[in-house]
Structure formats: C-alpha cells, structure tokens
Amino acid sequence: MLNIIICGAPGSGKGTQSEFIVEKYELKHLSTGDLLRNEIKGKTELGVIAEGYISQGQLVPDKMIIDIIIKNIDEQPETCKGFILDGFPRTVGQAEALEEILNARNKKSTVLLDLNVPEEELISRLLKRGESSGRSDDNLETIKKRLDVYYSQTAPVAEYYKTLNKYAFVEGVGTIEEIFDRISSAIEANK
Ligand code: B4P
C-alpha cells in the first residue's frame, strides 16, 4: 500500500500533481482543501466554520481536519491501494495524529514529497488562479497571510518527516510533466 503525502506552500502545485499521481498509482485522492470547499459549497455547519478561517488565510482547527481524514480513510474499501494526502498534514499536530491513525489501522505513511517553489512564483501562480477560481483566499492580502502560516506552521511538518526518514525534496519549478517525472522518481525510490 502506498500512502503518499504531498506538501508544499500554497500554489506549489499539490493539487495539480496529485491528479497525475492518482492516475499512475491508482490511489485515493484526499485533498483537505477540496473536502473543505465541498462543505462550504454545501453550506454545512462545518463549511460555515471553515469558510471563516479560509477566507482569512488561516488554517482550520486540527480537530476538525483530523475528524474529516479519519472518516475518509475509514470509508475506503479493502481493495483501496493507498492514499495521496494532499494538503494534509499541515501542522506537526496533524502529522502526529496521521501517524497514529495509520498505525492503529496497520498502515504506514510511505514518503512526504516536499514541493519547493520560490515565493514570487507562488504569488504569481495564485494571482493568476484567482482571476478564474472564485476562491475567497486567492487575493494578494490573503495569499501573503497563507504564506506566513505555511512558513510558521507547515514547514515544520517536513522537518518531522525528515526525522522519520520519510522525506523527499522535489524541485517544483518547471513544466508540470518535468515535475511529475521528479515525483515519480521520488516515489519509486521510497516505496
Ligand atoms: P489547498 O486547497 O490545499 O490549496 P493550495 O495550497 O492553495 O493549493 P495547491 O498547492 O494545491 O495549488 P495548485 O496545484 O492548485 O488549501 C486551501 C485552504 O484550505 C488553506 O489555506 C487552509 O485554510 C485550508 N486547509 C486545507 N487543508 C488544511 C489542513 N490540513 N489543516 C488546516 N487547514 C487546511 O496550484 C496552484 C496554481 O498553480 C494552479 O492555478 C495551477 O494551474 C498552477 N500550477 C501548478 N503547477 C504549475 C507549474 N508547474 N507551473 C506553472 N503553474 C503551475
């Protein structure tokens, strides 16, 4: 079973690359960003709470996200070949919880892919996406807040996976195909 974590700053291409990983390795895609946006779209109680955090560029509380992940992992059939965890874990608390959740189910994380992209490129990609995405967080002010949150709360997750010897640096600039080739090599080297 492959349980791949894809990590990186906002706009680093996590969602874009996850689609290719899903296709090649037949994994179940769990994007916490997409799951939250579905809740917001459905105007659920959880969605209303999440929207307040997301539109301010903040992370939603760990407990809320961990509950969503547990539900989605437990919903998968026995035949599931594994997961691509896109945008989760985003804090060390979430990372510790993930490892416990997987251990309790006799599963293991495979590797964390750390997509690295310079800040100017991230901002330009997200502003471009904002022209059509309709997302409340794709504007310059909120993008800057999201980057601050990433450096202070999410970057330590990569350090945590280095201590577990499950870390792969991925250069995130280039064509989508070039980056996917680097990702495939990192997965092959760690599976
Ligand atoms: P996410 O949905 O995870 O969004 P993201 O970080 O903005 O996007 P991603 O990196 O996937 O970028 P994409 O591939 O689309 O999170 C949104 C919010 O939800 C968070 O800020 C937070 O509030 C909340 N949240 C989510 N998970 C949470 C958690 N675990 N805990 C707490 N809160 C959580 O790429 C961006 C753009 O770049 C696209 O337009 C794409 O076309 C372009 N692009 C991609 N690759 C490219 C390339 N190689 N070259 C040029 N452009 C490229």
Side-chain angles (χ1 to χ4, degrees):
M1 194 177 202
L2 283 179
N3 294 310
I4 312 279
I5 299 162
I6 189 159
C7 188
S12 56
K14 301 182 291 288
T16 306
Q17 294 296 332
S18 290
E19 289 177 24
F20 290 89
I21 300 172
V22 165
E23 199 180 318
K24 177 163 178 182
Y25 294 98
E26 299 175 52
L27 304 180
K28 170 74 186 169
H29 185 193
L30 289 184
S31 157
T32 40
D34 286 350
L35 291 167
L36 291 170
R37 281 186 288 277
N38 279 341
E39 297 284 339
I40 293 170
K41 212 166 141 199
K43 296 192 167 54
T44 65
E45 196 182 329
L46 196 153
V48 172
I49 298 170
E51 169 72 345
Y53 290 95
I54 292 176
S55 61
Q56 295 302 311
Q58 299 300 326
L59 298 181
V60 310
D62 281 358
K63 170 140 185 10
M64 191 185 269
I65 288 289
I66 291 164
D67 288 348
I68 294 178
I69 286 288
I70 292 175
K71 178 172 169 282
N72 277 275
I73 288 181
D74 287 344
E75 258 173 21
Q76 299 315 311
E78 282 295 311
T79 49
C80 174
K81 292 188 176 171
F83 298 96
I84 170 84
L85 296 155
D86 164 8
F88 174 87
R90 252 179 163 94
T91 63
V92 172
Q94 291 180 15
E96 289 169 346
L98 173 65
E99 293 303 311
E100 279 174 28
I101 293 162
L102 293 175
N103 277 336
R105 289 157 181 77
N106 286 320
K107 300 183 201 301
K108 283 192 300 187
S109 55
T110 308
V111 66
L112 176 140
L113 305 169
D114 187 15
L115 272 178
N116 280 264
V117 176
E119 191 168 312
E120 317 82 72
E121 169 79 9
L122 295 169
I123 294 175
S124 123
R125 286 184 190 180
L126 292 172
L127 286 176
K128 193 160 168 234
R129 184 173 71 185
E131 290 168 11
S132 58
S133 69
R135 277 176 55 166
S136 62
D137 55 351
D138 280 346
N139 60 77
L140 190 56
E141 193 189 340
T142 313
I143 291 167
K144 287 190 170 162
K145 281 193 210 151
R146 289 160 66 197
L147 287 169
D148 285 346
V149 167
Y150 169 76
Y151 295 123
S152 61
Q153 298 192 52
T154 306
V157 172
E159 297 304 314
Y160 174 82
Y161 279 90
K162 281 182 194 168
T163 69
L164 300 183
N165 258 330
K166 294 182 177 187
Y167 172 86
F169 176 96
V170 178
E171 173 62 57
V173 180
T175 67
I176 289 170
E177 292 76 16
E178 281 164 352
I179 297 164
F180 184 61
D181 281 347
R182 294 174 199 145
I183 285 181
S184 295
S185 305
I187 293 176
E188 295 302 325
N190 284 278
K191 74 179 192 187

